Amino acid sequence: MQTFLHGRDLIGDLDFTKEEVETVLDVAFDLKRKRALNEPHPYLRDKVLAMLFFFSSTRTRGSFEAGMAQLGGHGAFIESKSTQISHGDTPKEIGEIFGRYYDGIAIRHVDWGIGNGYLNAVAKASRVPVLNMQCDIYHPFQCLADLMTIIEKKGRDLRRKKMVVSWAYAASYQKPMSVPQSLVLQMPRFGMDVVLAHPPEFKLMPDIMEQAQEQARKFGAGFEITDDMEAAFTDADIVYAKSWGAMVHTPDPEEGAKIIKKYSHWITDEKKMKLAKPDAIYMHPLPADRNIEVTDGVMDGPQSVVYDEAENRMHAQKAVMALTM
Ligand code: CP
């Protein structure tokens, strides 16, 4: 068990080794148990986490803020637009200055081509851990919560479980591709056979795909790519279907929005879920475009584990904060 994570950043999913992720999971399950028993666990008494948001959030803000309070500390909610960032504060200054006020700096910055660079620039200047609350490339805390949820539903030995990571149609906006990218990087390390399904224009970033394939090779897991949603769902143990934008295909948002409209049949519905194994679980990080991306019947049905996923955000994040801060 690798326990020495103090001072470490978590920006990309592979920043922690598989053994370190296993430590995070062990601590997360322990913290979940302690909360269920009303057992105090103030491992971060008097510590403060800066939570800097460049984009809206429901779950991430709530779970980090509640998690810090439960650990005996405080989460300070900071909206970028209420700071002097637009008037000149650089990432170096945020890293230097917030690193002196706070014990950790968590950031959400999903702007395509900008977010991840911003987090890394803050981390370079910061003396305290930088935690990625979602950037344009990764959503590592969502992925840790997803892994925790899969273990709860399918057991600790996940080898040969078929996990479908599928694109789904959504009309609201071009969503970041950070969730599927985190999933294809992390899940093969736990032995799951990942099938990535998307229409041709919704490719993930080429270097992320290379790294995902390398993880699959290293850990003896399968990794396939298809443009057939139904074939992907067939015999799946885990269905994870959500929308993301066509940013790799075209940086033009209007062009991307036009392309999305071609694929309104990529909805997760009861008929497609019937193709998966009878005990398959349906996952989504939320928010979802209901009855566009996924039907109410699937989202609210017996196979859906979306609320456990949302809950596990808090336990997984508390584990990482307690270990790193
Ligand atoms: N899943 C997720 O990150 O939710 P929020 O955007 O509401 O934080």
Side-chain angles (χ1 to χ4, degrees):
M1 190 178 191
Q2 295 296 325
T3 55
F4 190 68
L5 288 159
H6 193 77
R8 293 271 294 278
D9 301 324
L10 181 55
I11 297 177
D13 298 83
L14 304 183
D15 289 356
F16 288 2
T17 64
K18 185 192 174 206
E19 215 173 330
E20 288 166 343
V21 172
E22 279 171 349
T23 301
V24 169
L25 293 168
D26 284 346
V27 173
F29 282 119
D30 183 50
L31 292 172
K32 188 168 184 176
R33 187 187 65 82
K34 283 189 165 76
R35 179 160 165 77
L37 296 172
N38 279 320
E39 208 175 290
H41 44 278
Y43 299 126
L44 295 179
R45 190 177 281 135
D46 300 331
K47 299 221 176 188
V48 185
L49 175 75
M51 307 188 313
L52 175 58
F53 283 89
F54 289 79
F55 191 75
S56 54
S57 164
T58 304
R59 283 143 291 272
T60 304
R61 179 193 174 172
S63 53
F64 269 100
E65 199 167 310
M68 272 307 289
Q70 290 161 23
L71 290 166
H74 173 68
F77 173 64
I78 306 160
E79 271 189 295
S80 67
K81 62 176 186 248
S82 69
T83 69
Q84 300 282 31
I85 289 172
S86 64
H87 300 146
D89 278 335
T90 64
K92 179 172 191 277
E93 284 155 6
I94 295 295
E96 277 281 0
I97 296 165
F98 276 12
R100 295 169 194 224
Y101 300 158
Y102 299 105
D103 302 285
I105 306 172
I107 305 173
R108 166 170 283 196
H109 196 330
V110 300
D111 287 359
W112 178 243
I114 297 173
N116 184 262
Y118 186 90
L119 265 80
N120 278 294
V122 173
K124 197 167 165 217
S126 167
R127 61 179 69 177
V128 299
V130 169
L131 306 178
N132 183 356
M133 296 196 293
Q134 190 178 20
C135 69
D136 49 332
I137 302 180
Y138 309 108
H139 199 352
F141 288 99
Q142 180 66 55
C143 191
L144 289 172
D146 296 335
L147 183 54
M148 194 176 166
T149 309
I150 293 170
I151 289 170
E152 286 176 341
K153 306 301 174 191
K154 297 285 169 195
R156 197 105 198 190
D157 184 0
L158 296 170
R159 284 173 296 176
R160 301 273 78 87
K161 295 284 182 210
K162 178 177 176 182
M163 177 168 189
V164 179
V165 177
S166 177
W167 187 85
Y169 174 67
S172 52
Y173 70 105
Q174 290 213 69
K175 302 185 183 195
M177 59 178 65
S178 47
V179 169
Q181 295 203 144
S182 285
L183 292 170
V184 299
L185 288 171
Q186 190 72 268
M187 298 313 179
R189 303 210 286 182
F190 289 81
M192 280 172 267
D193 294 332
V194 172
V195 177
L196 175 66
H198 59 73
E201 299 93 336
F202 293 89
K203 287 192 171 65
L204 301 181
M205 293 168 70
D207 61 324
I208 295 291
M209 290 299 288
E210 271 174 38
Q211 290 178 62
Q213 270 151 347
E214 188 189 321
Q215 294 304 310
R217 269 195 301 275
K218 187 170 162 189
F219 291 95
F223 189 79
E224 285 173 33
I225 303 149
T226 175
D227 61 3
D228 184 335
M229 196 181 191
E230 277 85 3
F233 273 46
T234 302
D235 294 329
D237 296 285
I238 301 138
V239 171
Y240 201 122
K242 78 169 301 293
S243 186
W244 65 84
M247 287 82 81
V248 169
H249 180 76
T250 172
D252 178 2
E254 278 180 28
E255 171 76 12
K258 269 190 216 149
I259 295 168
I260 288 177
K261 289 202 179 90
K262 291 198 298 185
Y263 298 106
S264 58
H265 55 289
W266 280 63
I267 182 172
T268 308
D269 56 15
E270 290 83 340
K271 197 170 155 210
K272 289 196 192 80
M273 282 304 293
K274 278 207 168 67
L275 297 169
K277 289 197 179 136
D279 64 348
I281 55 172
Y282 167 77
M283 304 184 77
H284 193 293
L286 304 178
D289 289 18
R290 275 178 177 259
N291 299 310
I292 293 171
E293 195 174 353
V294 52
T295 60
D296 281 342
V298 171
M299 181 67 92
D300 300 322
Q303 289 168 289
S304 173
V305 297
V306 297
Y307 299 123
D308 292 327
E309 269 181 279
E311 178 187 340
N312 285 337
R313 289 291 304 274
M314 188 172 73
H315 307 302
Q317 287 157 200
K318 284 168 69 180
V320 174
M321 291 191 288
L323 287 160
T324 60
M325 283 171 61

